[in-house]
Amino acid sequence: MQQSLNRMVKSIEISGIRKFFNLVANETDIVSLTIGQPDFHTPEHIKNAASHALMQNKTTYTHNAGIIELRKAISEYNEANYSICYNPENEIIVTTGASQALDITFRTILNPNDEVILPGPIYPGYEPLITLAGAKAIHADTTKDNFKLTKEALANHITDKTKCVVLPYPSNPTGASFTKEELCDLVSVLKNKDIFILADEIYSELVYDHKHVSIASFPEVRDKTIVVNGLSKSHAMTGFRIGYLLAPAWLSSHMLKVHQYNVSCASSISQYAALEALTAGQADPALMCESYKKRRDYVYERLVRMGLDVNIPEGAFYFFPKFPIHNMTSFELGLELARKGKVALVPGESFSNLGKGYMRLSYAYDFNTLEKGLDRLEDFLQVQ
């Protein structure tokens, strides 16, 4: 019966991240610097709000787009923090995590044989969704431009098949982010083209040296921009699975249809927790961000001292150092690090072929774990 399966499903694979984890799962005494989730607990007031909603029997279906109170809070939060205005009645959809928001976006806008530009190295969750929609991912190399998509690279990759460009900033795995001036350059290329912009801004609250700027704040491209965001990273709520979409009304009405048939609505209990996060927890992200910045500075100093070629992250909680390897892949290096060095990093090739020679290191860990892992990495490099 296997030959009768959807050929698109058969063509995609489990992510390189998961393959790597499966191979090193049985190794003992490994310090892992791999996980891309906050090491903070969800703030108590948010957990209490979820518990209260449960005890108040708020356990039924909600409006497909989410409870209106949460959509209003999302609207107010984004206007206050990023100067982008979306109508809670018809331009905001609450989703089951940012991942589902990405899925319904691609399924709404893509037709077979369309092309989507991805600035690589890039999080591996986009390309399979593009493939499942029958479209094709086109990777633009950012490794020589501080991991940022330039207007020249963007223009060089646009064809008559280009339907969308993904801007995942701050970036997983590189930590790169955009300034307003850099976004202005991209807007100059896109403003007169019938190309959607998917701005994945899930790390928008974790920016260190300048305030996050959303490309949706540029009026020239607002009507073609979809913003994906959520509470997982900003409020340490990964398990609550709350994301959201911001899109112009003409587009969100079609996205809502896909969302409705996909999940009906996001978890009601999680929605009330998210409402608490966005109304009473606006200071929570800053406390986490301050801690991440201290860890970033410590890890950067250590990696530079080891002689590694590395950019300092502007956001998120990842480093993407380049290793002086010649006759092995990043995947093979990852296995060597795990088995001999007893430290686990994510192979760069998990983030497209443009990640060859790189490894992703997460600093969403306490200082003791970071110090121990970096000590082992340094010892490993000294004997190579």
Side-chain angles (χ1 to χ4, degrees):
M1 295 290 290
Q2 290 195 32
Q3 65 272 19
S4 63
L5 294 176
N6 184 322
R7 67 180 183 276
M8 295 299 183
V9 174
K10 291 169 66 177
S11 72
I12 64 174
E13 298 182 3
I14 300 296
S15 77
I17 299 173
R18 180 52 54 190
K19 286 182 179 179
F20 176 73
F21 284 140
N22 290 342
L23 284 172
V24 301
N26 295 325
E27 299 293 325
T28 58
D29 188 31
I30 287 181
V31 177
S32 175
L33 301 179
T34 58
I35 300 299
Q37 74 170 351
D39 68 328
F40 295 93
H41 295 301
T42 304
E44 289 297 318
H45 68 99
I46 297 174
K47 292 190 287 186
N48 290 338
S51 178
H52 182 72
L54 182 63
M55 298 309 296
Q56 293 295 311
N57 294 313
K58 294 180 178 179
T59 57
T60 62
Y61 292 122
T62 71
H63 188 290
N64 294 128
I67 59 173
I68 188 60
E69 300 95 327
L70 177 54
R71 284 182 279 146
K72 287 180 178 178
I74 291 169
S75 177
E76 292 168 3
Y77 189 89
N78 278 273
E79 184 171 5
N81 286 278
Y82 310 126
S83 301
I84 53 178
C85 302
Y86 286 87
N87 188 333
E89 297 285 347
N90 57 7
E91 294 187 319
I92 298 175
I93 302 172
V94 181
T95 61
T96 305
S99 297
Q100 194 233 345
L102 295 173
D103 184 32
I104 65 174
T105 295
F106 288 132
R107 289 205 277 164
T108 300
I109 68 174
L110 296 180
N111 289 305
N113 301 316
D114 284 343
E115 293 179 352
V116 179
I117 297 174
L118 301 178
I122 192 168
Y123 170 67
Y126 304 106
E127 186 169 359
L129 298 177
I130 294 166
T131 299
L132 289 173
K136 182 179 180 181
I138 305 296
H139 291 90
D141 187 351
T142 67
T143 58
K144 294 179 177 59
D145 298 296
N146 296 316
F147 301 115
K148 298 183 184 186
L149 182 66
T150 65
K151 65 177 182 179
E152 293 81 10
L154 174 60
N156 288 339
H157 285 83
I158 291 175
T159 72
D160 58 0
K161 294 182 179 180
T162 303
K163 176 65 70 70
C164 177
V165 57
V166 176
L167 298 180
Y169 294 96
S171 164
N172 173 8
T174 69
S177 192
F178 278 125
T179 64
K180 184 174 183 179
E181 292 71 25
E182 290 165 337
L183 284 174
C184 190
D185 285 342
L186 299 182
V187 169
S188 70
V189 176
L190 293 167
K191 64 183 180 181
N192 294 321
K193 296 188 181 295
D194 293 329
I195 296 173
F196 289 105
I197 302 166
L198 198 170
D200 184 348
E201 302 183 358
I202 193 66
Y203 292 98
S204 60
E205 286 293 327
L206 301 180
V207 177
Y208 305 114
D209 301 314
H210 60 82
K211 187 173 177 60
H212 175 75
V213 180
S214 175
I215 196 168
S217 65
F218 290 80
E220 307 97 307
V221 295
R222 185 200 185 272
D223 203 44
K224 63 180 75 176
T225 297
I226 304 114
V227 177
V228 171
N229 212 323
L231 283 295
S232 290
K233 315 300 183 182
S234 61
H235 290 79
M237 294 175 64
T238 53
F240 284 83
R241 308 310 302 131
I242 288 290
Y244 57 83
L245 284 166
L246 308 176
W250 73 267
L251 177 56
S252 62
S253 63
H254 294 289
M255 301 171 95
L256 185 60
K257 293 183 290 185
V258 180
H259 171 71
Q260 173 191 349
Y261 290 116
N262 186 226
V263 298
S264 294
C265 63
S267 159
S268 59
I269 301 302
S270 294
Q271 289 189 57
Y272 285 101
L275 176 61
E276 171 72 12
L278 292 178
T279 54
Q282 296 198 26
D284 294 333
L287 296 174
M288 300 180 200
C289 190
E290 182 181 357
S291 177
Y292 289 135
K293 184 175 181 181
K294 291 178 181 177
R295 302 180 207 184
R296 178 200 70 164
D297 294 345
Y298 167 71
V299 175
Y300 181 66
E301 188 272 332
R302 291 290 308 271
L303 295 176
V304 169
R305 226 181 335 142
M306 293 179 204
L308 292 174
D309 181 3
V310 62
N311 286 18
I312 189 166
E314 297 167 288
F317 36 60
Y318 308 105
F319 278 91
F320 205 60
K322 189 170 187 178
F323 283 73
I325 57 175
H326 305 288
N327 297 319
M328 66 171 67
T329 65
S330 298
F331 201 89
E332 291 167 339
L333 174 61
L335 292 176
E336 288 284 295
L337 276 169
R339 291 170 179 168
K340 296 181 180 179
K342 296 300 181 180
V343 60
L345 309 180
V346 180
E349 287 152 337
S350 300
F351 305 95
S352 82
N353 289 334
L354 294 171
K356 183 177 181 180
Y358 295 86
M359 302 291 289
R360 190 191 77 175
L361 183 157
S362 169
Y363 53 95
Y365 292 88
D366 62 80
F367 271 97
N368 288 337
T369 301
L370 291 172
E371 182 179 22
K372 187 176 181 180
L374 290 166
D375 286 347
R376 291 186 178 189
L377 177 59
E378 187 170 13
D379 290 342
F380 175 88
L381 292 173
Q382 287 176 347
V383 299
Q384 296 305 303

